[in-house]
Amino acid sequence: MSTKLNVNQLQDGLCTRRFGRSILFSREVDSTNKWAKELATYGASEGTVVIAETQTKGRGRLDREWISPTGGLWFSLILRPNLSPTETVKLTFVAGLAVTKVLREMFDLKTETKWPNDVLVNGRKICGVLAEMNTTGETVNFVVVGVGVNVNFDVENVFPEQLKKVATSLEKEVGRKVKLEKLFRALLERLENLYELFIKEGFNPILEEWKNYAGFLGCKVEVTGPTGKMSGVALDVDYEGALVLRLEDGTVKRVFVGDVSVRA
Ligand code: BTN
């Protein structure tokens, strides 16, 4: 099976109202999020998607590099929700949940969500989500939701040493290459579905389902944040998307930014 994206098949049988009705494709781009932000600034409508076969400067959270070889699914979706700036973080959960559910349904994988934006299989990261917004004061002009899924490549051959231990790909977990275009369409359909649920019914149904897949809840974790490391038990993720942590001295703290690693 070809690992190259077939641009002509991206919309074949796509069952969405708005998401992916307009798709822009490039073989190589610096970052699909950057591209989508430029398009959104020029007025691209909600649901517009940009997708690339490879990214030369893919970006992750906290401005980290996101390695994006051929064979992965790297795309960004433009949204124009009527939300306050602080609420846009919830879109990360919408997208993470969509990926978690689609990978479970299509490949029967025991995917898990990890706060705030990861999808894991067998404890290793298979997908990351990066939501970036553009605001004027308290008005959100647009949000770009970037989704990166490691699909048809072997992390052992592609990733640097430190990532090989913590990352995985669909090819590795399923034992074969998968059809990128089919996965892409399923993700867009589920994204639209859950986004509409979120807009109609609020964050609660999304969060409750996201927590059902959150294997780290109840575990001892280490959180690396902007001000250093903290250890404790991950008690909950709350209505604002904050991680609720019981520190070793018994105090309970809400954490808004950081990386979680589960301790043995
Ligand atoms: C993370 O886990 O830190 C988020 C990773 C997000 C990667 C995706 S790939 C498509 C889009 N374009 C980017 O530059 N980043 C996102």
Side-chain angles (χ1 to χ4, degrees), residues 84-142:
S84 68
T86 50
E87 281 177 313
T88 60
V89 68
K90 298 170 183 173
L91 294 168
T92 304
F93 292 82
V94 171
L97 179 60
V99 178
T100 302
K101 288 177 70 107
V102 166
L103 297 187
R104 278 183 172 244
E105 288 161 7
M106 283 181 82
F107 307 106
D108 203 20
L109 292 172
K110 298 268 171 291
T111 42
E112 288 185 13
T113 50
K114 195 184 94 177
W115 186 85
N117 70 327
D118 295 353
V119 179
L120 310 181
V121 178
N122 289 323
R124 289 166 183 242
K125 181 157 168 168
I126 199 159
C127 165
V129 174
L130 177 65
E132 297 183 279
M133 64 179 166
N134 175 289
T135 56
T136 309
E138 276 300 295
T139 304
V140 173
N141 302 318
F142 62 83

Side-chain angles (χ1 to χ4, degrees), residues 1-6 9-10 12 71 73 106-107 151-152 170 176-186:
M1 188 192 294
S2 167
T3 52
K4 285 205 188 291
L5 264 171
N6 186 336
Q9 291 176 4
L10 289 174
D12 279 359
L73 206 48
M106 283 181 82
F107 307 106
V151 187
N152 291 328
L170 264 179
R176 62 178 164 84
K177 297 212 185 293
V178 309
K179 201 89 181 101
L180 278 176
E181 301 80 8
K182 193 172 169 205
L183 174 60
F184 172 70
R185 289 192 300 268

Side-chain angles (χ1 to χ4, degrees), residues 53-72:
E53 199 167 274
T54 58
Q55 300 183 114
T56 52
K57 270 197 168 165
R59 283 281 150 244
R61 277 174 66 241
L62 312 171
D63 209 28
R64 292 189 190 117
E65 180 187 12
W66 181 263
I67 299 171
S68 319
T70 300

Side-chain angles (χ1 to χ4, degrees), residues 22 39-40 43-49 78-80:
S22 170
L39 291 172
S45 60
E46 176 159 274
T48 301
V49 173
I78 296 171
L79 297 174
R80 297 186 179 276

Side-chain angles (χ1 to χ4, degrees), residues 15 75 95 175 178 198 257:
C15 293
F75 68 92
V178 309
F198 170 53
V257 184

